[in-house]
Each structure stands twice: as C-alpha cells, then as structure tokens.
Amino acid sequence: MAKSKSGKKSKEKTPVPQETLKDEAQEEEDKAIKAELLRKEAVSEAGKIVSSLLDTSLNQIHDLIISEKANKYSALRCKEAVSVVVETNFLHRDVGEPGIETDSTWKAGEEPPQSTMDSWGRGTIHTIEKRTIKPETIVNLVELSQGKNNS
C-alpha cells in the first residue's frame, strides 16, 4: 500500500469496469419499466373488473325498475278491465215497450227526412251559387272606372 503525504496508509479503490456500471443501470431501468408495465396492467384489469361489476349491477337495477313499473301497469290495467266488466253488467237498458207484438194499436213512426248534405262526410263538396250581374251594375262600374281615369 502506498503512503500518502500525511503518512497514513490509503486504501486504493479498484476501478469498476464501465460495462458493469452500464449493465447495472440497464437492469435497474428494466426493473422500473417492468414495474410500470405491471402497474398499468393491474390498473387495466381492475378497470375491467369494475366495469363488469357496474354493467351487471346496472342491468339488474334496470330490470328491477322495469319489472316494478310493469307490475304497476298490469295491476292498473287489470283493475280497469274488471271495472269495465262490472259496469257493463249493471248498465241500465231500455227493455222497450211491453207487449208490442200483441198490441194492434201500435204503429211504427215515419222515417225521418234524408239529410241534404253531411258536412262531416268524406268528399263533401260545397256548391257555390252562380250569381247573375244586373246590367245596371255593369254600367255603374264602368262609370266609376271612367271617373277615376279622368281625375
């Protein structure tokens, strides 16, 4: 060992080859890259799992809401159908005049007059009456137009 100026022995460091330093730096960088890739893959997988859970739960919630609405709707329709049947069962109706077949004094009424035009019917065309112009009116119109031209 060599002595330094102060007289103490110094340990000499053995030089580390550059290739070894580069390999160690490359290994550390590779480890960091692998760790980052693993983290990204884990995040991606976690996102897929969460997305799958959300889809499944939202579909079940949607089906539940629709079935609740359908149950309410079908119950309401059943209630209305039963109400209609009950109402039609208790409708008051005209039974007619008793003993028409045996009553000799009864006669059918006259037919009502036929309507001239049904304004609600399809293809109804309203007619316009043709008016005739009196000769005096034509003379008055001519005089009026000549008076305006002379002014």
Side-chain angles (χ1 to χ4, degrees):
M1 296 202 164
K3 288 186 180 180
S4 62
K5 292 183 180 178
S6 63
K8 295 182 181 176
K9 294 182 182 177
S10 66
K11 293 183 181 178
E12 291 183 20
K13 291 185 179 178
T14 57
V16 179
Q18 287 290 332
E19 293 176 4
T20 308
L21 290 176
K22 288 181 182 178
D23 289 342
E24 288 176 4
Q26 186 65 36
E27 284 179 23
E28 287 182 25
E29 188 177 331
D30 288 345
K31 286 181 184 178
I33 290 173
K34 286 181 184 178
E36 182 66 23
L37 288 175
L38 288 174
R39 187 189 68 76
K40 286 183 179 180
E41 188 176 323
V43 168
S44 174
E45 288 299 317
K48 289 177 186 177
I49 292 170
V50 169
S51 176
S52 174
L53 286 173
L54 282 175
D55 287 343
T56 304
S57 61
L58 288 176
N59 286 337
Q60 289 177 354
I61 290 170
H62 178 264
D63 293 344
L64 181 66
I65 289 171
I66 294 298
S67 67
E68 285 178 5
K69 287 182 179 180
N71 290 341
K72 289 178 185 176
Y73 179 77
S74 52
L76 181 64
R77 292 291 157 235
C78 288
K79 177 184 167 189
E80 288 176 0
V82 169
S83 296
V84 167
V85 170
V86 169
E87 286 175 9
T88 54
N89 189 32
F90 293 106
L91 278 178
H92 296 288
R93 58 186 173 92
D94 183 11
V95 292
E97 297 178 26
I100 269 187
E101 297 87 19
T102 59
D103 190 4
S104 62
T105 60
W106 185 87
K107 288 199 279 182
E110 292 183 22
E111 290 283 328
Q114 187 176 8
S115 175
T116 57
M117 179 169 69
D118 181 11
S119 62
W120 288 95
R122 284 187 163 190
T124 301
I125 300 174
H126 300 281
T127 57
I128 300 174
E129 293 181 24
K130 186 176 183 181
R131 293 188 285 173
T132 57
I133 300 176
K134 298 177 183 175
E136 302 90 36
T137 308
I138 294 174
V139 170
N140 289 340
L141 288 173
V142 170
E143 289 174 357
L144 283 173
S145 66
Q146 287 176 352
K148 287 182 182 178
N149 289 339
N150 291 338
S151 305

